[in-house]
Amino acid sequence: MLHRTAALFLMLASAPALAAGVKVTPLGSQQGEFCPKDRAMVFEDPKGTRILYDPGMTVAGASDPRLGKIDVVLISHMHGDHVGSAHIKAPNAGCADTPQMVSDVPETNAVAIALAKGAKIVTGSEMPAFFAAKLKAAGGDPRDSVLARFGASVTVGGVKIATVPALHSNGVAPDLIGGELGAQMKAAGIAGDVGPATGYVLTFSNGLVAYLSGDTGLSAEQKLVVHDHYHAKLAVMNIGDTYTTGPSEAAFVLNQWLEPTSVIPSHANEVATQGGKVVPGSKTARFMNATNADTLLPLSGRTLTFDSKGNCTAGCQ
């Protein structure tokens, strides 16, 4: 009888976490809009763990009031618009126009935020050594740079983080290397090698599985690994074209391979919304029209909440 009572207590204690939703808050250039440089999102687990994904240039440094507590900084690859070679001077710095930027080379916006927040930096490929060196040079603990390589995972605060392939370049710009070596590389027109770019699959404490594509083209792993093995129900998918999958290619991936319940478009490289509404004829509009899954715009500052099956339960349009 005692064992049954204990088991019932544990079930009741875990029920709120299982029922609660995962909160996703985009941190873009302009409140309520989806702008060209917008990449950053904060994922908050029902148990409180907060993950900043690709802070890039639209998080206004470590003092950005929108950040709050950050436990993990998750970086898909080393390009400046994801790791943060610069950042906007302040939130709401502009969407269509060019906002005033503050340089973050060679440290990166990601490292500055991780140091200020006492957060782990989680990456795959050969990126952890780069971030460990940056943390050490800035007076931080290099052990806060954590590896999650392809086929493996790490768990932080109850959120399981797995690395999956992304088809994209991943060179470290010479400006991020700095010093004489960086100057020589810049003169030669070459970048540092830190292995392949990555995407991620996050498994939250309420059971939601989310796929973060990073920057990628079409990849068989999106079907064989992300769908068949992890069964992701929420996808954050790049749609910008030229550098990544475009609207039609991204829609194909989602409709034929991933089949998630919901999708958040990312990396549109355009003024995608005006007044919080999608711009007619834009890449984002074409993507939304071609995609079967429930598509939710990443409007900066608007928090979306998802249940374990990937259904949007709050903040939805």
Side-chain angles (χ1 to χ4, degrees), residues 193-209:
D193 179 18
V194 288
T198 64
Y200 295 98
V201 174
L202 308 183
T203 303
F204 295 94
S205 63
N206 71 337
L208 175 67
V209 180

Side-chain angles (χ1 to χ4, degrees), residues 144-250:
D144 284 338
S145 178
V146 179
L147 170 67
R149 196 163 281 152
F150 301 121
S153 64
V154 296
T155 299
V156 181
V159 180
K160 181 180 177 182
I161 304 171
T163 310
V164 294
L167 289 179
H168 194 62
S169 59
N170 193 30
V172 181
D175 285 343
L176 295 183
I177 295 171
E180 183 179 352
L181 175 60
Q184 291 174 346
M185 294 175 68
K186 189 171 186 177
I190 59 175
D193 179 18
V194 288
T198 64
Y200 295 98
V201 174
L202 308 183
T203 303
F204 295 94
S205 63
N206 71 337
L208 175 67
V209 180
Y211 167 56
L212 315 183
S213 73
D215 281 7
T216 189
L218 282 77
S219 167
E221 284 86 354
Q222 291 164 326
K223 165 63 177 170
L224 299 174
V225 178
V226 180
H227 176 273
D228 291 358
H229 179 68
Y230 289 110
H231 312 295
K233 297 302 181 184
L234 170 65
V236 177
M237 187 73 197
N238 53 243
I239 66 168
D241 218 349
T242 303
Y243 306 101
T244 70
T245 50
S248 61
E249 293 86 357

Side-chain angles (χ1 to χ4, degrees), residues 42-64:
V42 173
F43 292 80
E44 183 173 341
D45 185 77
K47 292 184 177 180
T49 299
R50 287 169 56 84
I51 298 173
L52 174 61
Y53 169 57
D54 278 356
M57 298 178 171
T58 64
V59 175
S63 62
D64 191 318

